[in-house]
Amino acid sequence: MTTDLRTPTLPLDCLARWGDLPAGMTLVETPGVSVAADDTVYLLTRNPANPVIVLDADGAFLRTFGAGTFTNRTHAILAAHDGFIYCADDGSHTITKWTPQGELLLTIGTPHEPAPRFSGEPFNRPTDMAVAEDGAIFISDGYGNARVHKYSPRGEHLLSWGAPGIDPGQFLCPHNIALRGDRLYVADREAHRVQIFDLDGGLVTMWNNVHRPCGLSVGPDDNVYIGELNGVPLMEGALGIGHRVSAYDASGTLQGRYGDPEEGSEPGRFIAPHAIAVDSRGDVYVGEVSYTIRGSLLDPPRELPSLKKLRRTG
């Protein structure tokens, strides 16, 4: 008897091009993407001149904001259910809260003053945030720490959990987080797993064998969509490792994947999926750090496509 190891393909079709920017405006790359309740799309770029770019549901440019606030190490963006926009900048060690029009309301963390590396104290290169129904703010402190922090809606520290390691409840780079009800999903990237906690930091379960999980987003179908990043130095050149989008149901069962075994920037392929968002129609937006992973290494270096829209077909 043989085992069928084939994985279903997600019913998605990559558009050849999506999103219209004003002449001369560039993304550099798109580490963050999020979709608001009205399907407005918020992009977090690594171009400090236009760090946050806002597009309507059809991809038409609406506005940009945040110039002068962010470094070139922006990391994640969230259009939260409370109507506000949250951004993680691991270069300045801060989480910021904005109105949709671009008014800065709150900064958590002291800009450019990191906590000691792996001290457990907030923050050292935070990576993402999620907002609970009661307004509590959860923050993954992932590149220079191995912690998740919980804050009040006013930015007051409430609790923290996690430590460096591979045991349950420990982290090897908590890279992205997302909420589904009273469960917090943490992409524990370098441990190739997703850990799931209650809202007080108690470990509920974990999903293993997810290749370098990055952006997490819960879709209208209640599936958790995950960007799987390429890049394990010893496996450079191996096919089918990373650069894909995977969807899991609430029990952690893989529902399907989208992507190609070979890296690429053309439709149907990815270079470095880093952020995932799903709109009300089930369309999927993928932000990629394609300049960091590939474009910066070219001779000469050049910007590569870093935003893809996958249209739901079924």
Side-chain angles (χ1 to χ4, degrees):
M1 185 177 70
T2 60
T3 300
D4 187 353
L5 297 178
R6 291 176 296 180
T7 301
T9 298
L10 292 172
L12 301 169
D13 180 34
C14 187
L15 302 182
R17 184 179 178 277
W18 188 84
D20 295 316
L21 301 182
M25 184 176 289
T26 65
L27 301 170
V28 178
E29 59 186 0
T30 311
V33 59
S34 189
V35 181
D38 64 356
D39 285 341
T40 300
V41 178
Y42 290 81
L43 308 178
L44 190 64
T45 81
R46 283 190 174 153
N47 184 343
N50 46 267
V52 179
I53 294 175
V54 188
L55 307 175
D56 71 15
D58 297 318
F61 175 81
L62 296 176
R63 59 189 171 275
T64 182
F65 63 81
T69 300
F70 295 97
T71 71
N72 63 357
R73 279 294 313 179
T74 52
H75 200 268
I77 192 167
L78 172 67
H81 65 86
D82 60 8
F84 298 108
I85 311 302
Y86 296 78
C87 298
D89 184 342
D90 74 74
S92 67
H93 311 282
T94 60
I95 305 295
T96 49
K97 176 182 177 180
W98 305 76
T99 68
Q101 299 300 320
E103 178 188 356
L104 179 60
L105 301 175
L106 176 68
T107 300
I108 306 176
T110 304
H112 309 291
E113 293 187 16
R117 185 170 170 82
F118 293 111
S119 66
E121 298 299 317
F123 301 114
N124 193 302
R125 303 187 66 194
T127 50
D128 201 5
M129 59 270 124
V131 179
E133 289 299 321
D134 65 359
I137 305 167
F138 293 85
I139 298 168
S140 54
D141 201 3
Y143 281 139
N145 253 322
R147 299 279 271 176
V148 172
H149 309 286
K150 182 178 181 179
Y151 282 78
S152 76
R154 296 178 298 278
E156 302 157 329
H157 181 253
L158 301 176
L159 64 90
S160 301
W161 72 88
I166 60 172
D167 289 339
Q170 296 181 329
F171 299 113
L172 288 181
C173 187
H175 191 269
N176 292 93
I177 55 178
L179 282 161
R180 178 201 270 132
D182 61 355
R183 294 292 181 260
L184 182 74
Y185 294 73
V186 181
D188 191 8
R189 191 177 79 179
E190 303 310 318
H192 301 278
R193 65 187 179 184
V194 174
Q195 299 196 67
I196 303 169
F197 299 88
D198 64 30
L199 301 191
D200 293 316
L203 181 65
V204 176
T205 189
M206 68 176 70
W207 303 343
N208 292 303
N209 306 316
V210 187
H211 185 79
R212 300 191 79 203
C214 283
L216 294 173
S217 184
V218 180
D221 55 5
D222 212 35
N223 284 331
V224 177
Y225 290 78
I226 301 175
E228 295 185 62
L229 191 68
N230 65 348
V232 175
L234 290 176
M235 299 299 291
E236 184 71 28
L239 299 181
I241 301 179
H243 46 71
R244 64 192 178 195
V245 173
S246 299
Y248 295 81
D249 67 13
S251 69
T253 300
L254 180 65
Q255 299 300 295
R257 286 192 167 118
Y258 184 89
D260 188 87
E262 293 193 37
E263 175 188 293
S265 59
E266 61 269 39
R269 290 179 173 175
F270 300 106
I271 295 174
H274 192 266
I276 299 285
V278 186
D279 68 17
S280 65
R281 301 176 296 266
D283 294 346
V284 178
Y285 301 80
V286 182
E288 301 189 66
V289 288
S290 49
Y291 181 79
T292 295
I293 293 294
R294 195 60 60 206
S296 63
L297 305 177
L298 298 176
D299 186 15
R302 66 178 184 272
E303 181 174 340
L304 298 171
S306 64
L307 175 66
K308 287 187 170 70
K309 179 174 180 175
L310 312 179
R311 182 172 52 200
R312 178 70 55 168
T313 60

